[in-house]
Amino acid sequence: AHHKVEGFSLGWAEVCTNVYLIRHPARVIASYLRKREKPTFEDLGFEQQLEIFERFPGPVIDSNDVLVKPEVALKGLCAEIGMTWDEAMLSWPAGGHDSDGVWSRHWYQAVHRSTGFAAAESFLPRVESPLLKEAMPYYLALDAHKLSFFDVGSAQREV
């Protein structure tokens, strides 16, 4: 969603299979607070993501669902978009990629150390922030379109 900047055409996305990965705002805000003292609503990207989804609809999947049951979630997503499932999707070699961009050293250290999916967080972080209230409607709008392979997060949708 951060690539949705004024003057930059998203026309290229018309021919893509667009998949939307969402994450509960409390988790996003908690992550941002580890890196930035005062993230803004625009930093979080929820409004931009919903605008892109409305223009280019596609399957929505929640990051927590992927972490709870990665194989179930990824097999379901593959079936949804007509992609062949491969067990190799569940693991990868540690390290970065040339395409990570200049921001990778600030954001991707844990990803670069990983070789597979981490365990899902068993709780929502307590975040006392007006950002949470502002972001929730956008998250819930996308969550309403979420692929339902299983329902692990219904108790975590409301704050």
Side-chain angles (χ1 to χ4, degrees), residues 134-150:
E134 194 171 0
M136 281 304 292
Y138 296 93
Y139 169 77
L140 291 172
L142 284 164
D143 184 74
H145 297 277
K146 182 177 88 163
L147 297 176
S148 298
F149 312 117
F150 49 88

Side-chain angles (χ1 to χ4, degrees), residues 61-87:
I61 192 164
D62 193 290
S63 63
N64 200 59
D65 291 347
V66 176
L67 294 176
V68 168
K69 291 189 179 178
E71 186 170 341
V72 171
L74 293 177
K75 278 183 176 178
L77 177 60
C78 285
E80 182 73 21
I81 63 174
M83 185 175 181
T84 303
W85 159 255
D86 186 330
E87 193 167 330

Side-chain angles (χ1 to χ4, degrees), residues 37-116:
E37 190 174 322
K38 294 181 182 178
T40 67
F41 178 68
E42 187 174 74
D43 289 335
L44 303 180
F46 285 98
E47 183 175 19
Q48 301 96 312
Q49 188 178 33
L50 182 59
E51 287 173 2
I52 295 169
F53 173 82
E54 288 172 343
R55 182 169 171 197
F56 307 108
V60 176
I61 192 164
D62 193 290
S63 63
N64 200 59
D65 291 347
V66 176
L67 294 176
V68 168
K69 291 189 179 178
E71 186 170 341
V72 171
L74 293 177
K75 278 183 176 178
L77 177 60
C78 285
E80 182 73 21
I81 63 174
M83 185 175 181
T84 303
W85 159 255
D86 186 330
E87 193 167 330
M89 294 175 180
L90 298 174
S91 62
W92 49 84
H97 304 278
D98 291 340
S99 60
D100 285 345
V102 296
W103 53 85
S104 68
R105 71 173 192 254
H106 303 288
W107 292 101
Y108 296 167
Q109 297 95 345
V111 172
H112 290 166
R113 288 190 303 269
S114 73
T115 57

